[in-house]
Amino acid sequence: MKKIIQLISILISSVAFAQTDGIKPCSTDSMFNIEMQNDPGLALRRQQLQDFTKQFIGPQQRVASATALYTIPVVFHVMHNYGTEDIPKQQILDAMVVLNESFQKLNSDTGDVIPFFQPIFADAQIQFRLANIDPQGNCTDGITRTRTSLTYSAGNNVKTLIDWPSDKYLNIWVVQHIASGAAGYAYYPGVSSNIDGVEILYDYVGGPQIGHYQSRSLTHEVGHYLNLPHTWGNSNSAGLASNCSIDDGIFDTPNCIGSTPSGCNLTQNTCGSGPSDSVDNVQNYMDYASCHKMFTEGQKAVMHAALNSSAGSRDNLWSQGNLLATGTEDGHVVTACVPKADFSNKPIYICEGGTVFFDDKSWRGDATAWQWNFPGGTPDTSSSQNPSVVYNTPGSYDVKLKVSNSAGVDSLIRSMLVTVLPDTGTNMIPYSEGFETIGIPGNDWSIENEGTSNAFAITSAAAASGSFSVRLLNQSGNSNGNVDALITPTINLLNVSGAVLTYKYAFAAKGVSDSSFFKVLASNDCGESWVQRLLKTSAALQTAPPTTGNFIPTVSQWATQTVSLAQSMFSGKPSVRIKFEFDQESGNNFYIDDINISGIVGINEILASEYEFGIHPNPTRSTASLKLELKENNFVKIELYDVVGKKVADITNNIYGAGKHQFEIQNKNYQGVYFVRVNIDDNTFTQKIVFVK
């Protein structure tokens, strides 16, 4: 145990947490280096805080004392994409209870702290209150919600979307995944105001119901925010023998190597050099052990020093003027805020007759009344908070929500949110699309695009064949974390076995840091639910060398991919759709072209018999005759497709009278398996034909 307060000179920029299966990696070194390069004043501010802390604590290492609580205003920024990371308000309220119990020695397990540390078990005398007034003077409940795909790969990038003044609020960003792999990180006092605060995973925010370790992880992070290092010192790697030479510089926390999250050895002594060091403080919040539940008096003194120093911008937080400005002063009368209407903006696809379950995501103020409008739905209105609606008629429909309470009303319309498709797809096998004559979205093709980023679009910059393809422009204008999708029309695979999808694609990375990935998903219910059929990481997806320039593939930089749809959940189903989904993580442009779906089509024997349909000879070396008989005037369309679903010939497209008819299918250097598709009014069936030499 070192007797010199040296922790202030430790320039740690982030701290990682882990679940009980091991400590997750963190980005301490890289983030520290970035901050030191970007902020030359950081070292000076840290030295000023170090000097102040030495003076505040004094040469006798006295413990801090206070007659009143330090109050810190808090705001939670929930960064979400309408997934599980969009945690409910109650989960945040539960986290606030745990935070206050931890810093005021009110947790129910204080008696479990071993006798060795009971004399220095500190009530840190710090309390946290959700803000009731935002930086503009408006009503708030201390929670903001921002929809962003950056939540899937979060770091300081999410802080550019929203941050409140760090000298007035403790900013806590809640995300789905942190890019470094950490479960949470915090900055010590002194860093730039625009990144100052805590970032933490959504499932590490809450009360005891999420688990002891997880629920108190926020306490650990706020400890760092208030200038506490780990009990073993300036390292994120617990359990290393070399940690004995580091120490945290706090006089009453024994020198140790630290514990792993799965450990809780109350008798361990890893760096002891005397009687006072005879046992490690594994129950300390700043350890990684699974049984953390205390701060020491020395840690309390360091935190109070941080709250009284101007060097780290923590001294204004608890000032009476700031408490009044943020609505967190004692006796503040909390008033209701006008609710902010919200529900998911993700496109909804269902087959006719399907049911949609709507989930109210309104925030800021607690709504007491809801009014939904569902054009095209049954019912077409609802006052339930989370209604279910049946859609029986194909089409695209808006959804509107109006929420209210005693403070006011707010409403939101999501245009064309629900797309209802026919039970049976109108596109038959073989199916092909080369994007030469259509536009997207349109022609029953859909795109999914988040925010204002680039989306899949037709381009003439490159093509695997013809003049056009579909491109996702990632080289610029598509931020990391964005997820975009291109979705096919509904394909009818009734009477089809062994269905196969093929397509051509081209992709280049921007560099070695590219971690983009690409998925192919399939749906058998018009797109209501999806099953992954292919996943390719950037390394496997690349068809050209990395480039930071605007990637445009040459003819040789296209690849062909085959994906099986032979499973019974797809083959034989009447309403199958395919989704091509790209997750952008420093990738360059992605292109796709020549999409084909084919399979072995079982002819409808009843229809074949009714029309006396037949092809002879089959196989054939030259010309084959297709014969059929009509009972009345009918529209007849006959086409020839190759095995990958590309149309190679139009046989006829006309109205014919009752009687027998014969059509010639000429062999124009064809070889192998082809398919003849016959449409007679509303009836469609397909027959295989084989051309041989």
Side-chain angles (χ1 to χ4, degrees):
M1 177 174 65
K2 294 182 173 66
K3 300 296 184 180
I4 301 173
I5 299 294
Q6 59 183 13
L7 73 155
I8 308 304
S9 63
I10 298 169
L11 300 177
I12 298 177
S13 62
S14 70
V15 179
F17 267 122
Q19 299 178 8
T20 56
D21 58 354
I23 297 173
K24 294 182 179 180
C26 78
S27 53
T28 297
D29 292 335
S30 60
M31 295 183 71
F32 167 77
N33 290 334
I34 291 172
E35 289 310 303
M36 289 298 291
Q37 293 171 9
N38 292 344
D39 188 357
L42 177 57
L44 175 60
R45 292 192 294 273
R46 296 293 294 171
Q47 183 62 48
Q48 291 172 339
L49 180 55
Q50 177 185 9
D51 295 341
F52 179 87
T53 301
K54 288 180 179 180
Q55 181 181 9
F56 184 87
I57 296 176
Q60 302 302 315
Q61 307 289 341
R62 66 174 175 82
V63 298
S65 61
T67 58
L69 293 172
Y70 289 91
T71 300
I72 298 179
V74 179
V75 56
F76 282 81
H77 303 297
V78 181
M79 316 303 289
H80 71 93
N81 197 22
Y82 294 107
T84 53
E85 71 282 353
D86 189 13
I87 58 176
K89 182 176 182 177
Q90 187 58 53
Q91 195 169 330
I92 292 173
L93 296 178
D94 292 343
M96 289 292 291
V97 170
V98 173
L99 199 60
N100 279 300
E101 289 177 346
S102 300
F103 281 85
Q104 296 171 56
K105 197 179 176 179
L106 296 174
N107 39 300
S108 61
D109 55 2
T110 56
D112 295 338
V113 171
I114 62 175
F116 188 86
F117 290 105
Q118 282 288 352
I120 57 170
F121 186 175
D123 168 7
Q125 295 181 270
I126 301 172
Q127 68 178 342
F128 304 86
R129 289 176 177 169
L130 289 173
N132 291 296
I133 301 174
D134 73 8
Q136 288 72 45
N138 301 317
C139 183
T140 180
D141 61 356
I143 302 170
T144 71
R145 298 183 186 271
T146 303
R147 192 218 65 79
T148 174
S149 58
L150 295 179
T151 190
Y152 301 129
S153 185
N156 289 340
N157 52 359
V158 299
K159 301 176 185 180
T160 64
L161 302 179
I162 184 169
D163 74 287
W164 289 8
S166 62
D167 62 335
K168 297 181 179 180
Y169 305 87
L170 162 55
N171 288 276
I172 300 175
W173 290 270
V174 180
V175 300
Q176 198 271 345
H177 175 73
I178 296 175
S180 67
Y185 70 90
Y187 283 105
Y188 281 88
V191 297
S192 300
S193 59
N194 62 323
I195 60 172
D196 196 9
V198 172
E199 187 166 313
I200 192 165
L201 298 183
Y202 73 97
D203 50 354
Y204 281 69
V205 176
Q209 66 273 17
I210 68 171
H212 175 96
Y213 185 86
Q214 286 83 352
S215 67
R216 299 189 185 186
S217 295
L218 183 58
T219 300
H220 178 111
E221 298 297 357
V222 174
H224 288 301
Y225 169 82
L226 292 173
N227 213 31
L228 296 184
H230 292 124
T231 53
W232 62 87
N234 59 331
S235 162
N236 284 297
S237 300
L240 300 179
S242 58
N243 288 347
C244 287
S245 63
I246 302 176
D247 195 46
D248 65 354
I250 298 177
F251 66 91
D252 60 358
T253 56
N255 195 9
C256 65
I257 65 172
S259 307
T260 62
S262 58
C264 183
N265 182 359
L266 300 180
T267 62
Q268 75 179 34
N269 176 16
T270 54
C271 301
S273 59
S276 62
D277 291 332
S278 60
V279 66
D280 295 350
N281 189 197
V282 300
Q283 293 175 302
N284 197 290
Y285 285 120
M286 304 316 294
D287 197 291
Y288 278 167
S290 58
C291 53
H292 47 359
K293 58 194 68 180
M294 68 168 290
F295 291 115
T296 69
E297 291 290 346
Q299 289 173 320
K300 171 182 176 179
V302 170
M303 290 189 285
H304 285 197
L307 289 169
N308 283 275
S309 171
S310 60
S313 301
R314 304 280 188 265
D315 58 325
N316 183 63
L317 289 169
W318 53 276
S319 69
Q320 186 62 22
N322 189 55
L323 299 184
L324 290 168
T326 57
T328 54
E329 80 279 9
D330 290 342
H332 180 84
V333 178
V334 178
T335 59
C337 300
V338 178
K340 178 73 173 176
D342 198 12
F343 56 99
S344 177
N345 67 342
K346 294 184 177 180
I348 299 170
Y349 304 99
I350 57 170
C351 295
E352 55 185 306
T355 301
V356 178
F357 297 90
F358 291 93
D359 188 11
D360 169 49
K361 291 288 186 179
S362 301
W363 55 281
R364 188 173 59 195
D366 297 328
T368 56
W370 298 263
Q371 182 62 49
W372 295 85
N373 291 92
F374 307 107
T378 303
D380 59 359
T381 63
S382 176
S383 58
S384 298
Q385 182 178 4
N386 301 305
S388 59
V389 181
V390 177
Y391 288 87
N392 292 310
T393 306
S396 294
Y397 302 99
D398 299 345
V399 176
K400 180 180 180 180
L401 171 63
K402 182 170 71 173
V403 292
S404 61
N405 62 14
S406 60
V409 179
D410 189 47
S411 61
L412 173 67
I413 297 177
R414 300 281 191 206
S415 299
M416 304 299 183
L417 182 70
V418 179
T419 298
V420 184
L421 298 170
D423 258 340
T424 301
T426 56
N427 296 282
M428 309 299 293
I429 293 297
Y431 176 83
S432 66
E433 184 55 67
F435 307 106
E436 297 299 309
T437 60
I438 71 168
I440 59 168
N443 302 99
D444 295 329
W445 283 79
S446 305
I447 61 170
E448 291 181 356
N449 173 243
E450 298 182 339
T452 58
S453 61
N454 297 335
F456 278 105
I458 300 289
T459 180
S460 60
S465 65
S467 301
F468 298 94
S469 66
V470 175
R471 177 180 64 180
L472 180 60
L473 189 60
N474 294 317
Q475 195 268 340
S476 62
N478 204 21
S479 302
N480 287 351
N482 283 346
V483 180
D484 291 274
L486 172 69
I487 307 175
T488 70
T490 305
I491 313 297
N492 186 345
L493 297 184
L494 279 174
N495 302 312
V496 176
S497 61
V500 174
L501 163 72
T502 65
Y503 59 89
K504 295 180 181 178
Y505 68 97
F507 172 70
K510 285 183 183 176
V512 295
S513 63
D514 181 13
S515 57
S516 303
F517 57 89
F518 174 72
K519 295 179 183 178
V520 176
L521 306 103
S523 169
N524 63 9
D525 53 12
C526 300
E528 185 175 352
S529 61
W530 297 94
V531 176
Q532 183 175 300
R533 301 299 307 134
L534 176 78
L535 171 63
K536 279 197 170 186
T537 62
S538 173
L541 191 65
Q542 294 175 42
T543 63
T547 176
T548 57
N550 186 40
F551 171 60
I552 300 175
T554 64
V555 173
S556 63
Q557 291 174 331
W558 288 84
T560 300
Q561 181 69 53
T562 300
V563 179
S564 173
L565 301 174
Q567 294 76 12
S568 60
M569 70 175 65
F570 306 119
S571 289
K573 301 301 181 183
S575 52
V576 175
R577 304 185 81 192
I578 307 299
K579 179 190 287 191
F580 303 95
E581 185 176 280
F582 190 93
D583 189 310
Q584 163 68 345
E585 297 292 344
S586 301
N588 210 307
N589 303 334
F590 176 80
Y591 298 78
I592 191 166
D593 201 1
D594 293 346
I595 296 170
N596 298 283
I597 302 175
S598 62
I600 305 302
V601 182
I603 188 169
N604 187 314
E605 298 297 339
I606 296 176
L607 287 174
S609 175
E610 178 181 349
Y611 295 112
E612 297 186 9
F613 175 84
I615 298 176
H616 303 283
N618 188 12
T620 180
R621 286 186 171 83
S622 56
T623 300
S625 296
L626 184 155
K627 297 180 180 180
L628 56 83
E629 182 174 356
L630 304 177
K631 308 302 181 188
E632 57 187 3
N633 290 352
N634 295 108
F635 172 79
V636 178
K637 182 179 181 181
I638 304 174
E639 302 164 305
L640 182 65
Y641 288 83
D642 64 18
V643 71
V644 297
K646 184 177 181 180
K647 184 168 69 173
V648 297
D650 290 305
I651 309 302
T652 189
N653 187 0
N654 213 334
I655 296 176
Y656 294 87
K660 294 181 179 181
H661 301 273
Q662 179 172 314
F663 306 92
E664 301 302 319
I665 305 175
Q666 297 180 1
N667 185 352
K668 299 180 179 179
N669 296 319
Y670 304 140
Q671 184 178 353
V673 177
Y674 288 74
F675 294 93
V676 177
R677 180 191 294 176
V678 180
N679 293 273
I680 302 176
D681 289 340
D682 295 328
N683 299 318
T684 301
F685 47 92
T686 306
Q687 175 64 47
K688 180 171 65 175
I689 182 172
V690 179
F691 294 99
V692 296
K693 286 187 177 181

